[in-house]
Amino acid sequence: MIEAPCRLQVEPLTIEAFRPFGEVLEASDAVRHFTINGGNTERYHDLARLEPGADGRLIVSIFRGLPRSLPFTVSMMERHPKASQAFFPLSGRPYLVVVAPPGEPPTAATLRCFLAGPQQGVNYATGTWHHPLLALDAVSDFLVLDRAGEGPNCDEVTLDPVALIPPAG
């Protein structure tokens, strides 16, 4: 017998709600910031703990994600056991972030789904389970900071039962 999918509630992405999974990258009054460059620039300082892992190096890439349609079935998750991975949107569009705590492989019941605003990035802490890029509405580019180095750094699991992200509204 096939189990019905677990229905995920889409939550707003906030610093507090995302803390168990990593950091939210955003220019807001909720983070440390100060004026630099002779008063011409506001610096939002030290937003994430970027971890390249032992024998790794931090690299910068751009990922171009095809849009996903809702409802969307979450049938797999991945994690990077050696390093963190940060995403920052470049296309001015919201996107979805599906995560589960580091450690044992996740189940549909342990997933959380966040709606990230067009000016919010995320940094997945080392080992945090997450779904690959979930762009919405149109092809979207993301600046990505992650690890290059020896050895595999991506574990994937299949969910059974799956989870469902319902349509907006």
Side-chain angles (χ1 to χ4, degrees), residues 3 5 8 23 33 40 43 45 56 67-68 79 86 97 107 109 112 119 121 124 140 146 153 161 163:
E3 287 190 53
L8 295 178
E23 297 96 9
H33 59 98
N40 193 50
R43 177 178 177 147
H45 184 72
R68 309 295 182 119
R79 70 175 174 184
V97 175
T107 64
R112 292 192 56 194
Q119 302 299 321
Y124 299 120
S140 298
D146 63 352
N153 187 33

mmCIF file of all heavy atoms in Angstrom, residues 3 5 8 23 33 40 43 45 56 67-68 79 86 97 107 109 112 119 121 124 140 146 153 161 163:
data_model
loop_
_atom_site.group_PDB
_atom_site.id
_atom_site.type_symbol
_atom_site.label_atom_id
_atom_site.label_comp_id
_atom_site.label_asym_id
_atom_site.label_seq_id
_atom_site.Cartn_x
_atom_site.Cartn_y
_atom_site.Cartn_z
ATOM 1 N N GLU A 3 1.727 4.989 0.846
ATOM 2 C CA GLU A 3 1.324 5.983 1.833
ATOM 3 C C GLU A 3 1.066 7.318 1.157
ATOM 4 O O GLU A 3 1.741 7.683 0.198
ATOM 5 C CB GLU A 3 2.422 6.161 2.875
ATOM 6 C CG GLU A 3 2.549 5.009 3.832
ATOM 7 C CD GLU A 3 3.488 5.354 4.969
ATOM 8 O OE1 GLU A 3 3.296 6.400 5.630
ATOM 9 O OE2 GLU A 3 4.420 4.565 5.173
ATOM 10 N N PRO A 5 1.267 11.263 0.608
ATOM 11 C CA PRO A 5 2.375 12.178 0.897
ATOM 12 C C PRO A 5 2.099 13.019 2.137
ATOM 13 O O PRO A 5 0.959 13.320 2.453
ATOM 14 C CB PRO A 5 2.463 13.057 -0.339
ATOM 15 C CG PRO A 5 1.317 12.730 -1.207
ATOM 16 C CD PRO A 5 0.602 11.552 -0.637
ATOM 17 N N LEU A 8 3.522 19.534 3.391
ATOM 18 C CA LEU A 8 4.383 20.501 4.048
ATOM 19 C C LEU A 8 3.703 21.863 4.136
ATOM 20 O O LEU A 8 3.062 22.306 3.186
ATOM 21 C CB LEU A 8 5.693 20.668 3.280
ATOM 22 C CG LEU A 8 6.608 19.456 3.220
ATOM 23 C CD1 LEU A 8 7.837 19.763 2.388
ATOM 24 C CD2 LEU A 8 7.005 19.015 4.606
ATOM 25 N N GLU A 23 22.235 29.704 8.368
ATOM 26 C CA GLU A 23 21.999 31.127 8.513
ATOM 27 C C GLU A 23 21.210 31.677 7.335
ATOM 28 O O GLU A 23 21.337 31.194 6.215
ATOM 29 C CB GLU A 23 23.319 31.896 8.593
ATOM 30 C CG GLU A 23 24.164 31.556 9.790
ATOM 31 C CD GLU A 23 25.230 30.511 9.508
ATOM 32 O OE1 GLU A 23 25.444 30.141 8.330
ATOM 33 O OE2 GLU A 23 25.845 30.035 10.460
ATOM 34 N N HIS A 33 25.207 45.447 11.582
ATOM 35 C CA HIS A 33 25.557 46.262 10.415
ATOM 36 C C HIS A 33 26.087 47.610 10.878
ATOM 37 O O HIS A 33 25.810 48.063 11.983
ATOM 38 C CB HIS A 33 24.361 46.421 9.467
ATOM 39 C CG HIS A 33 23.156 47.053 10.073
ATOM 40 N ND1 HIS A 33 22.863 48.385 9.912
ATOM 41 C CD2 HIS A 33 22.182 46.545 10.851
ATOM 42 C CE1 HIS A 33 21.744 48.664 10.551
ATOM 43 N NE2 HIS A 33 21.315 47.563 11.139
ATOM 44 N N ASN A 40 29.267 56.090 2.876
ATOM 45 C CA ASN A 40 28.604 55.785 1.606
ATOM 46 C C ASN A 40 28.043 54.363 1.522
ATOM 47 O O ASN A 40 27.247 54.072 0.643
ATOM 48 C CB ASN A 40 29.595 56.015 0.459
ATOM 49 C CG ASN A 40 28.929 56.035 -0.880
ATOM 50 O OD1 ASN A 40 27.941 56.730 -1.072
ATOM 51 N ND2 ASN A 40 29.449 55.259 -1.800
ATOM 52 N N ARG A 43 27.454 48.144 5.750
ATOM 53 C CA ARG A 43 27.993 46.783 5.714
ATOM 54 C C ARG A 43 27.163 45.899 6.634
ATOM 55 O O ARG A 43 27.081 46.145 7.839
ATOM 56 C CB ARG A 43 29.448 46.780 6.154
ATOM 57 C CG ARG A 43 30.038 45.387 6.204
ATOM 58 C CD ARG A 43 31.494 45.415 6.589
ATOM 59 N NE ARG A 43 32.012 44.067 6.690
ATOM 60 C CZ ARG A 43 33.250 43.743 6.389
ATOM 61 N NH1 ARG A 43 34.102 44.651 5.982
ATOM 62 N NH2 ARG A 43 33.639 42.491 6.523
ATOM 63 N N HIS A 45 27.364 42.625 8.279
ATOM 64 C CA HIS A 45 28.636 41.987 8.585
ATOM 65 C C HIS A 45 28.507 40.547 9.076
ATOM 66 O O HIS A 45 27.656 40.245 9.910
ATOM 67 C CB HIS A 45 29.339 42.841 9.648
ATOM 68 C CG HIS A 45 30.700 42.373 10.007
ATOM 69 N ND1 HIS A 45 31.767 42.499 9.154
ATOM 70 C CD2 HIS A 45 31.169 41.785 11.127
ATOM 71 C CE1 HIS A 45 32.852 42.014 9.737
ATOM 72 N NE2 HIS A 45 32.513 41.565 10.932
ATOM 73 N N GLY A 56 39.605 21.449 2.026
ATOM 74 C CA GLY A 56 38.742 22.020 0.993
ATOM 75 C C GLY A 56 39.079 23.480 0.783
ATOM 76 O O GLY A 56 39.826 24.087 1.546
ATOM 77 N N PRO A 67 12.400 26.723 -13.112
ATOM 78 C CA PRO A 67 11.319 26.883 -12.132
ATOM 79 C C PRO A 67 10.606 25.560 -11.857
ATOM 80 O O PRO A 67 10.470 24.722 -12.746
ATOM 81 C CB PRO A 67 10.385 27.887 -12.795
ATOM 82 C CG PRO A 67 10.638 27.739 -14.253
ATOM 83 C CD PRO A 67 12.088 27.364 -14.387
ATOM 84 N N ARG A 68 10.166 25.405 -10.622
ATOM 85 C CA ARG A 68 9.367 24.255 -10.205
ATOM 86 C C ARG A 68 7.917 24.701 -10.108
ATOM 87 O O ARG A 68 7.625 25.835 -9.759
ATOM 88 C CB ARG A 68 9.829 23.720 -8.848
ATOM 89 C CG ARG A 68 11.308 23.455 -8.726
ATOM 90 C CD ARG A 68 11.797 22.338 -9.635
ATOM 91 N NE ARG A 68 13.215 22.118 -9.425
ATOM 92 C CZ ARG A 68 13.728 20.969 -9.000
ATOM 93 N NH1 ARG A 68 12.968 19.923 -8.789
ATOM 94 N NH2 ARG A 68 15.035 20.859 -8.816
ATOM 95 N N ARG A 79 22.673 16.153 1.383
ATOM 96 C CA ARG A 79 23.453 16.907 2.361
ATOM 97 C C ARG A 79 24.907 16.897 1.906
ATOM 98 O O ARG A 79 25.329 16.049 1.120
ATOM 99 C CB ARG A 79 23.343 16.324 3.758
ATOM 100 C CG ARG A 79 24.052 14.993 3.902
ATOM 101 C CD ARG A 79 24.038 14.499 5.316
ATOM 102 N NE ARG A 79 24.608 13.154 5.372
ATOM 103 C CZ ARG A 79 24.653 12.429 6.457
ATOM 104 N NH1 ARG A 79 24.158 12.898 7.587
ATOM 105 N NH2 ARG A 79 25.187 11.232 6.424
ATOM 106 N N ALA A 86 26.203 27.889 0.585
ATOM 107 C CA ALA A 86 25.407 29.107 0.653
ATOM 108 C C ALA A 86 24.820 29.434 -0.715
ATOM 109 O O ALA A 86 25.488 29.277 -1.740
ATOM 110 C CB ALA A 86 26.259 30.272 1.146
ATOM 111 N N VAL A 97 12.848 26.738 0.117
ATOM 112 C CA VAL A 97 13.945 26.068 0.802
ATOM 113 C C VAL A 97 13.334 24.949 1.632
ATOM 114 O O VAL A 97 12.516 25.218 2.513
ATOM 115 C CB VAL A 97 14.701 27.062 1.717
ATOM 116 C CG1 VAL A 97 15.765 26.349 2.517
ATOM 117 C CG2 VAL A 97 15.286 28.211 0.908
ATOM 118 N N THR A 107 12.985 12.029 7.211
ATOM 119 C CA THR A 107 11.719 11.462 6.746
ATOM 120 C C THR A 107 10.846 12.651 6.341
ATOM 121 O O THR A 107 11.144 13.796 6.698
ATOM 122 C CB THR A 107 11.007 10.672 7.860
ATOM 123 O OG1 THR A 107 10.664 11.592 8.913
ATOM 124 C CG2 THR A 107 11.895 9.555 8.401
ATOM 125 N N ALA A 109 8.196 13.576 7.570
ATOM 126 C CA ALA A 109 7.695 14.236 8.779
ATOM 127 C C ALA A 109 8.708 15.185 9.410
ATOM 128 O O ALA A 109 8.331 16.059 10.192
ATOM 129 C CB ALA A 109 7.256 13.189 9.799
ATOM 130 N N ARG A 112 11.047 20.738 6.840
ATOM 131 C CA ARG A 112 10.436 22.068 6.950
ATOM 132 C C ARG A 112 10.624 22.767 5.621
ATOM 133 O O ARG A 112 11.649 22.595 4.964
ATOM 134 C CB ARG A 112 11.076 22.871 8.072
ATOM 135 C CG ARG A 112 10.709 22.228 9.406
ATOM 136 C CD ARG A 112 11.013 23.011 10.614
ATOM 137 N NE ARG A 112 10.456 24.340 10.698
ATOM 138 C CZ ARG A 112 10.880 25.214 11.606
ATOM 139 N NH1 ARG A 112 11.851 24.893 12.454
ATOM 140 N NH2 ARG A 112 10.342 26.423 11.669
ATOM 141 N N GLN A 119 15.370 38.808 -1.715
ATOM 142 C CA GLN A 119 16.603 39.400 -1.183
ATOM 143 C C GLN A 119 17.183 38.582 -0.034
ATOM 144 O O GLN A 119 18.031 39.072 0.706
ATOM 145 C CB GLN A 119 16.338 40.837 -0.706
ATOM 146 C CG GLN A 119 15.789 41.749 -1.772
ATOM 147 C CD GLN A 119 16.733 41.915 -2.956
ATOM 148 O OE1 GLN A 119 17.940 41.999 -2.794
ATOM 149 N NE2 GLN A 119 16.178 41.940 -4.158
ATOM 150 N N GLY A 121 19.178 35.095 1.174
ATOM 151 C CA GLY A 121 19.949 33.904 0.864
ATOM 152 C C GLY A 121 19.952 32.977 2.054
ATOM 153 O O GLY A 121 19.476 33.336 3.141
ATOM 154 N N TYR A 124 23.425 26.679 4.230
ATOM 155 C CA TYR A 124 23.156 25.391 4.870
ATOM 156 C C TYR A 124 24.384 25.008 5.679
ATOM 157 O O TYR A 124 25.494 24.887 5.143
ATOM 158 C CB TYR A 124 22.893 24.301 3.827
ATOM 159 C CG TYR A 124 21.696 24.554 2.950
ATOM 160 C CD1 TYR A 124 21.831 24.671 1.570
ATOM 161 C CD2 TYR A 124 20.423 24.657 3.489
ATOM 162 C CE1 TYR A 124 20.733 24.885 0.759
ATOM 163 C CE2 TYR A 124 19.314 24.883 2.687
ATOM 164 C CZ TYR A 124 19.480 24.988 1.320
ATOM 165 O OH TYR A 124 18.391 25.213 0.516
ATOM 166 N N SER A 140 15.955 31.100 -12.707
ATOM 167 C CA SER A 140 16.535 32.000 -11.713
ATOM 168 C C SER A 140 17.996 31.649 -11.460
ATOM 169 O O SER A 140 18.352 30.468 -11.381
ATOM 170 C CB SER A 140 15.769 31.902 -10.395
ATOM 171 O OG SER A 140 14.425 32.298 -10.564
ATOM 172 N N ASP A 146 30.475 27.281 -2.072
ATOM 173 C CA ASP A 146 30.585 25.940 -1.493
ATOM 174 C C ASP A 146 31.996 25.416 -1.628
ATOM 175 O O ASP A 146 32.916 26.152 -1.945
ATOM 176 C CB ASP A 146 29.520 24.986 -2.038
ATOM 177 C CG ASP A 146 29.597 24.711 -3.522
ATOM 178 O OD1 ASP A 146 30.368 25.353 -4.238
ATOM 179 O OD2 ASP A 146 28.862 23.822 -3.980
ATOM 180 N N ASN A 153 31.301 14.799 -1.505
ATOM 181 C CA ASN A 153 30.722 15.685 -0.502
ATOM 182 C C ASN A 153 29.225 15.853 -0.729
ATOM 183 O O ASN A 153 28.676 16.914 -0.500
ATOM 184 C CB ASN A 153 31.415 17.056 -0.522
ATOM 185 C CG ASN A 153 30.951 17.947 0.612
ATOM 186 O OD1 ASN A 153 30.630 17.482 1.694
ATOM 187 N ND2 ASN A 153 30.886 19.235 0.354
ATOM 188 N N PRO A 161 7.454 7.678 2.933
ATOM 189 C CA PRO A 161 6.671 8.352 1.902
ATOM 190 C C PRO A 161 7.287 9.696 1.507
ATOM 191 O O PRO A 161 8.136 10.239 2.221
ATOM 192 C CB PRO A 161 5.301 8.556 2.560
ATOM 193 C CG PRO A 161 5.619 8.681 4.018
ATOM 194 C CD PRO A 161 6.788 7.762 4.249
ATOM 195 N N ALA A 163 6.927 13.884 0.422
ATOM 196 C CA ALA A 163 6.249 15.056 0.976
ATOM 197 C C ALA A 163 5.731 15.887 -0.172
ATOM 198 O O ALA A 163 6.260 15.831 -1.281
ATOM 199 C CB ALA A 163 7.206 15.868 1.838
#
